[in-house]
Amino acid sequence: MQKRRIGNRTVSAVGLGAMPLSTKDPRPSPEEAEAVVHAALDAGVTVIDTADAYSRDEAEFGHNEELVARALASYGSAGDVLVATKGGHTRRGAEWELDGSPAYLRRACEASLRRLGVEAIGLYQFHRPDPVTPWEESMGALRELVDDGLVQLAGISNADVGQIDAARAIVGDALVSVQNQFSPGWRSSAGELAHCAQHGLAFLPWSPFGGVSAAKELGSTAAEFAAVADELGVSVYQVTLAWHLAQADVVVPIPGASRAESITDSAAAADLQLTDDQLSRLNAA
């Protein structure tokens, strides 16, 4: 599989977004979820994205991290996998809330370390800006987690260009990635993507197919992508991920999957070549 860089790590060009394994309704069984992670590894995927808040509700906070940890442990040889998790979202029942305070981020990181069963988290990302906590304080906390050896690499999520630059100034070279929403129907993060490419930061587009519900209709809502898929004899999802990868060499899409067949298909996009004409049509769509 084509490779990309996240900080000092060489990783697969396509990752796995593990969120649907915990939040999709109906949820895959534990055996089905494990099969998805194993299929991703079999296909050469070496980036798995999770978060402490990926669960049905507050009562099972950390469900997705524990699931990923079990699946990796049962695979047998997954030492080169970069597990990217996140902290800063909280749950009140099934509702999503925010806490970017340094004290909370420290507790969240320590809890993620326990659930993942590691001494240092490969990539720890601040999940979303907290309007109550100054951005600079949250970034200072992220830097301290790196300095204290709890985190190897740091990232931010749902950030604008100004926040990216502020994070770069505070976190320094340990800041290696930005995870923002980006898809054929959601291109408002194009400026952040270009900014990441300019400064050598990995850009991890979340919901690259537009989200769980939108993904089902991608073949009809993204007509040009479907047309190119027909030309190449592949799925519209492979074309969509190949388009993501063609935006810049810092892009590492993390498509979600709840079936082994889905992540196997997505992983194949890493080696799909689009012609200049096809890429031009997709960019203009």
Side-chain angles (χ1 to χ4, degrees), residues 164-209:
I164 294 171
D165 285 343
R168 290 174 57 229
I170 296 169
V171 184
D173 292 341
L175 185 81
V176 299
S177 67
V178 175
Q179 185 177 147
N180 280 11
Q181 185 176 6
F182 191 76
S183 68
W186 183 279
R187 307 189 193 189
S188 60
S189 288
E192 286 77 21
L193 190 162
H195 199 65
C196 287
Q198 180 182 354
H199 294 286
L201 297 172
F203 184 86
L204 283 60
W206 61 266
S207 288
F209 305 139

Side-chain angles (χ1 to χ4, degrees), residues 37-76:
V37 175
H38 289 184
L41 300 175
D42 288 342
V45 169
T46 59
V47 181
I48 298 180
D49 182 78
T50 181
D52 57 4
Y54 291 166
S55 60
R56 282 177 174 158
D57 53 36
E58 180 182 30
E60 56 171 37
F61 200 78
H63 179 275
N64 200 246
E65 290 178 324
E66 293 173 346
L67 182 159
V68 168
R70 287 195 302 270
L72 290 174
S74 65
Y75 189 74

Side-chain angles (χ1 to χ4, degrees), residues 97-241:
E97 297 188 351
L98 296 166
D99 191 339
S101 66
Y104 177 77
L105 290 178
R106 169 72 58 156
R107 294 196 304 273
C109 180
E110 291 173 347
S112 290
L113 284 166
R114 291 192 294 272
R115 286 189 288 265
L116 293 171
V118 296
E119 295 183 358
I121 293 171
L123 174 59
Y124 193 68
Q125 305 158 97
F126 181 49
H127 206 151
R128 188 179 294 272
D130 174 11
V132 176
T133 304
W135 179 254
E136 291 75 14
E137 291 186 15
S138 298
M139 293 303 97
L142 195 58
R143 174 61 185 263
E144 287 184 5
L145 295 175
V146 174
D147 290 344
D148 291 347
L150 304 184
V151 171
Q152 295 174 347
L153 301 170
I156 53 178
S157 185
N158 302 296
D160 61 29
V161 168
Q163 290 166 330
I164 294 171
D165 285 343
R168 290 174 57 229
I170 296 169
V171 184
D173 292 341
L175 185 81
V176 299
S177 67
V178 175
Q179 185 177 147
N180 280 11
Q181 185 176 6
F182 191 76
S183 68
W186 183 279
R187 307 189 193 189
S188 60
S189 288
E192 286 77 21
L193 190 162
H195 199 65
C196 287
Q198 180 182 354
H199 294 286
L201 297 172
F203 184 86
L204 283 60
W206 61 266
S207 288
F209 305 139
V212 174
S213 58
K216 297 176 182 178
E217 308 299 328
L218 189 62
S220 57
T221 59
E224 198 63 45
F225 286 76
V228 171
D230 287 342
E231 292 169 12
L232 296 174
V234 298
S235 71
V236 68
Y237 306 105
Q238 283 193 35
V239 169
T240 300
L241 294 173

Side-chain angles (χ1 to χ4, degrees), residues 18-42:
M19 180 180 180
L21 300 177
S22 294
T23 61
K24 188 175 180 181
D25 188 17
R27 173 191 282 172
S29 70
E31 295 76 19
E32 290 169 334
E34 181 179 90
V36 170
V37 175
H38 289 184
L41 300 175
D42 288 342

